[in-house]
Structure formats: C-alpha cells, structure tokens
Amino acid sequence: MTAATSKRNHRLSRPLFALENATERRRKTTSWVPAANVSENAEEYVIRLAVPGMDRPCFQIHASGKELVISGKKEETREAVGKSDFEYNYSAWERTFGLPEDADTALTQASYINGELVLHIPRNEAAIDSGEVDVFIY
C-alpha cells in the first residue's frame, strides 16, 4: 500500500499536461534584448539591430539630446492543439545609445527590412541639440 500511495502522490505532483520545465522555457522566451552592430564612416553613424519576427508598429525610436533610445514590444498568443493549454508571450526590450557630439539626431532615418532595424544618423559638425525627436521607421 505504501508503493501505491507514493505512486499516486508522484502523479499528483507532476505539472499539468506534463510540461516539464515550462517555467524555464517561458523565462528564456521573454528575457531577450536584440543584438546591435554599430559602425561609422565619414558621413554617418549606422546602428543595426537584429529583430526578426517583429513589425514596424512594434518599435519606438526616440532621441533626446545626444541619447538615442530604441524600444520594442510584442505580444504573441500560442494555442496548444488538442489541449486546454495557452501560453502568452509578451516581450518588451529597450536599448539606449549615447551619441557623439557631431551626430545630428534631427535627420536620423530608420528602416526595417527582413528582420533588421537600421538607423542612419548623419554626422554634422554644426549639429545643434535638437531636443526631443521621435524617429519614423520607413
């Protein structure tokens, strides 16, 4: 009888639908910050972020003085087939970049193509502090 009792307790302690390490899998899918490549040439600074699977409305780019903040939000809902198990994945991230004095944030251009967000920030020795600027993504 002791074996039957322990076997029954073992079944009750299992997670619903036998989703082993479900908490760990959720943690891995939501704690994400995109990788960035930053380069410069004589005319501009270029920031490239790898953000596959997102859409243009998911992003927000804001420049304040010589600080550039790029953020993204996305919510996904996945349904398990044949079970009553649902997982919601809400991910939000933010990257902040300090810009050099000759960066002209007022003329910053951004585009999103094939999972890559690319920002072109022109260099201008006479650049003045443009205050608060929201950058549109083409």
Side-chain angles (χ1 to χ4, degrees):
M1 187 136 141
T2 307
T5 305
S6 65
K7 190 173 184 179
R8 188 176 338 145
N9 289 341
H10 179 69
R11 280 190 212 144
L12 293 175
S13 65
R14 287 185 187 169
L16 188 61
F17 299 125
L19 293 175
E20 296 174 17
N21 300 322
T23 304
E24 185 63 30
R25 277 188 282 163
R26 276 195 295 279
R27 196 173 299 132
K28 286 180 184 177
T29 59
T30 57
S31 60
W32 173 78
V33 176
N37 292 335
V38 180
S39 61
E40 66 177 287
N41 58 41
E43 295 84 33
E44 67 183 356
Y45 299 98
V46 180
I47 300 174
R48 297 176 182 272
L49 279 88
V51 283
M54 296 185 83
D55 298 318
R56 284 183 185 91
C58 297
F59 302 111
Q60 190 171 32
I61 304 171
H62 183 77
S64 177
K66 296 299 177 185
E67 184 175 86
L68 185 70
V69 179
I70 306 168
S71 60
K73 295 179 186 176
K74 185 172 184 179
E75 184 175 346
E76 292 180 24
T77 305
R78 289 178 281 196
E79 253 184 72
V81 179
K83 298 179 183 177
S84 295
D85 177 31
F86 304 96
E87 288 193 14
Y88 295 95
N89 181 20
Y90 176 80
S91 59
W93 54 267
E94 183 176 280
R95 297 281 314 250
T96 302
F97 298 90
L99 300 174
E101 289 300 316
D102 65 342
D104 193 349
T105 56
L107 298 176
T108 300
Q109 294 181 354
S111 61
Y112 180 68
I113 301 170
N114 295 331
E116 186 176 50
L117 181 63
V118 182
L119 286 84
H120 295 273
I121 307 159
R123 294 178 96 158
N124 183 359
E125 291 297 327
I128 58 171
D129 189 1
S130 57
E132 305 279 326
V133 177
D134 286 324
V135 179
F136 181 76
I137 303 168
Y138 293 96

